[in-house]
């Protein structure tokens, strides 16, 4: 069977439109304003025990946008880097930058000097919003970059007066997790908001195909590349994901809470957060996903309905007795992305929480979601081990090593075409041509199979495939099997040279 036919048939059976309709807003920044106008008093974000409404977050982002427009000299299209964990400050700065017409560059707070220098200089960042806890690393890079405006924020800056003093004092002097830094031109985020509160926001002419994000990717094999994502790319992916979420019978949007432990500087979490904003849902932001105790504490204090995570986090949480003791009575959706989901981890999560894991697949270059397992309303939108239903307005094709297009059941490199596919890599036309052809097809580098039911399955990365005596061996399949052993927490498979077979399989086990 042809792949396109199988995919369209599956979308019909899962009651998912073949094409997306009207985009949810004219720009990504408008998403927040529209929701704030509809439901200003509904809770929007909670972090470190503090909650702000949609009206409050919209106002704060307006104040930040006014500061950028009237006190920095930054112009629409200039780049602003955000180097923050999952705090309320992130959406304030993110939406504020977009309202001022700037392009956001997401930066991992744990980046080294080399990584920061490359990303700042490659993107030609002019302004940086940085978390005080890592400002000492940034200070040593700034003189080697184009950054002229530095805005620093502390963990409790969005809290009320007394909790803010307690949180920030505790971080500095009790926990001692804020190293000293010296950035002469730095100003505090709170002072920026105060200045912005006295001015008026000026409208900016932003078009759908203007860049909204430079999202860096591919740093493990060399210097990271900036994927140019437009407002149209991100808004299309939000509209696509919304159709998939509509298949969950219990999902109502307003009044429901999604737990977001994965960092907002990752495109998967950022897109999901934007989807929640557009639907009026409440986001519980977890600043440190590695601190499972803080995740469990936050989930204990705030009733939750959905959770966004990845395989290793599911395994870590399910090993905790205090996690097992949480109230999962209103819990109906768990979305997995960022790394392959093993069958054992999915089954373990289901046993502990009573909730299925719905795996998705995507790339930074696709804003990011390409496929996602749909809700179980009609029983046909989910298949464990697959990456789910292909998003509306999205096409897939499988190409073998000889360049031939395959039908269902045959493996090859996965190619993607849709409105969520990036414009290209920033200042790298040659790299863009390597992965994106003139017809808009993106080469993913992933080896996949689409079955007769229309479900794609990622077999492995093209470069990770191991060839043993002429046979293709896919590490993901071995990892999935080995991790099902009760004494295996995690494992990883690689290929190593072998004189007789060319390569052989080597496995690392935790």
């Amino acid at each position: 069977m042809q792949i396109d036919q199988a995919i369209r048939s599956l979308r019909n059976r899962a009651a998912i439109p073949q094409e997306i309709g009207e985009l949810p807003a004219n720009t990504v920044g408008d998403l927040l304003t529209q929701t704030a106008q509809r439901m200003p008093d509904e809770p929007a974000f909670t972090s470190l025990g503090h909650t702000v409404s949609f009206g409050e977050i919209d106002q704060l982002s307006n104040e930040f946008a006014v500061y950028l427009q009237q006190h920095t000299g930054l112009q629409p299209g200039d780049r602003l880097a955000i180097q923050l964990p999952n705090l309320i400050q992130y959406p304030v700065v993110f939406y504020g930058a977009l309202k001022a017409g700037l392009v956001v560059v997401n930066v991992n707070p744990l980046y080294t000097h080399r990584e920061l220098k490359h990303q700042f200089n490659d993107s030609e960042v002019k302004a940086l919003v940085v978390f005080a806890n890592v400002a000492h690393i940034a200070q040593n890079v700034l003189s080697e970059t184009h950054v002229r405006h530095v805005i620093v924020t502390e963990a409790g800056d969005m809290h009320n007066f007394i909790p803010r003093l307690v949180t920030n004092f505790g971080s500095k002097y009790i926990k001692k997790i804020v190293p000293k830094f010296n950035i002469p031109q730095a100003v505090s985020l709170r002072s920026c908001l105060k200045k912005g509160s006295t001015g008026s926001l000026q409208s900016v002419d932003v078009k759908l195909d203007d860049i909204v994000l430079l999202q860096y990717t591919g740093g493990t094999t060399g210097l990271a590349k900036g994927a140019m994502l437009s407002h149209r790319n991100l808004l299309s992916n939000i509209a696509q994901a919304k159709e998939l979420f509509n298949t969950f019978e219990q999902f109502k949007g307003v009044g429901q809470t999604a737990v977001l432990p994965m960092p907002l500087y990752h495109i998967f979490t950022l897109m999901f957060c934007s989807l929640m904003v557009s639907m009026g849902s409440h986001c519980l932001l977890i600043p440190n996903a590695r601190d499972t105790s803080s995740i469990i504490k936050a989930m204990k204090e705030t009733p939750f309905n959905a959770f966004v995570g990845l395989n290793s986090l599911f395994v870590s949480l399910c090993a905790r007795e205090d996690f097992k003791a949480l109230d999962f009575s209103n819990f109906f959706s768990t979305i997995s992305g960022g790394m392959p989901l093993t069958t054992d981890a999915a089954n373990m999560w289901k046993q502990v929480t009573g909730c299925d894991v719905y795996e998705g697949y995507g790339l930074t270059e696709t804003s990011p979601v390409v496929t996602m397992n749909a809700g179980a309303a009609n029983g046909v939108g989910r298949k464990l081990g697959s990456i789910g239903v292909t998003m509306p307005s999205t096409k897939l094709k499988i190409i073998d090593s000889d360049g031939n297009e395959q039908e269902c059941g045959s493996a090859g490199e996965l190619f993607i075409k849709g409105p969520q596919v990036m414009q290209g890599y920033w200042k790298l036309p040659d790299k863009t041509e390597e992965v994106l052809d003139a017809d808009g097809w993106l080469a993913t580098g992933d080896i996949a199979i689409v079955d007769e039911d229309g479900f794609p399955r990622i077999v492995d990365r093209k470069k990770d495939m191991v060839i043993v005596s002429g046979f293709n061996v896919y590490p993901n399949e071995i990892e999935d099997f080995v991790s099902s052993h009760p004494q295996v927490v995690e494992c990883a498979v690689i290929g190593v040279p072998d004189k007789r077979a060319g390569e052989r399989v080597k496995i690392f086990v935790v």
Side-chain angles (χ1 to χ4, degrees), residues 73-80 97 101-105 123-127:
L74 293 169
Q75 299 299 312
D78 286 343
R79 271 73 65 198
L80 176 143
L102 303 187
V103 175
V104 167
V105 180
S123 61
E124 301 172 3
V125 162
K126 292 185 178 180

Side-chain angles (χ1 to χ4, degrees), residues 427-438:
K427 299 192 300 186
L428 292 172
D430 293 342
K431 294 291 184 183
T432 299
E433 288 182 9
E434 289 177 8
V435 299
L436 195 59
D437 69 18

Side-chain angles (χ1 to χ4, degrees), residues 64 68 80-87 89-90 93-94 105-112 116 120 125-142 147 149-158 168 178-179 181-190 192 265:
F64 186 65
L68 294 173
L80 176 143
I82 302 178
Q83 192 177 12
L84 299 176
N86 288 10
L87 298 168
Q89 291 93 308
Y90 184 97
V93 171
F94 176 72
V105 180
N106 279 313
V107 181
N108 186 336
L110 300 180
Y111 268 176
T112 63
L116 288 176
F120 288 169
V125 162
K126 292 185 178 180
L128 167 67
V129 181
V130 62
F131 189 39
N133 300 42
V134 296
H136 66 292
I137 300 175
Q139 78 174 17
N140 297 322
V141 181
L142 296 175
V147 176
H149 305 279
V150 180
I151 300 166
V152 181
T153 185
E154 299 180 61
D157 277 357
M158 293 296 103
N168 291 344
V178 185
F181 62 90
N182 180 26
I183 305 176
Q185 74 269 41
V187 295
S188 72
L189 177 60
R190 288 191 59 80
C192 296
Y265 59 76

Side-chain angles (χ1 to χ4, degrees), residues 322-340:
D322 47 353
F323 178 74
K324 296 176 183 178
L326 292 175
D327 179 9
F328 296 104
S329 58
N330 294 311
F331 190 37
F332 67 85
S333 177
T334 302
I335 307 299
S336 172
M339 66 180 291

Side-chain angles (χ1 to χ4, degrees), residues 154-157 161-178:
E154 299 180 61
D157 277 357
F161 180 68
I162 297 299
R164 179 170 71 250
L165 291 182
V166 171
T167 300
N168 291 344
F169 181 87
S171 296
K172 279 184 180 178
Y173 303 110
I174 299 176
K175 295 181 180 180
K176 297 182 178 179
I177 55 175
V178 185

Side-chain angles (χ1 to χ4, degrees), residues 352-381:
V352 170
T353 68
C355 179
D356 288 315
V357 180
Y358 297 87
E359 186 175 9
Y361 165 81
L363 304 91
T364 300
E365 293 87 344
T366 57
S367 307
V369 184
V370 176
T371 66
M372 190 174 76
N373 277 285
N378 49 28
V380 300

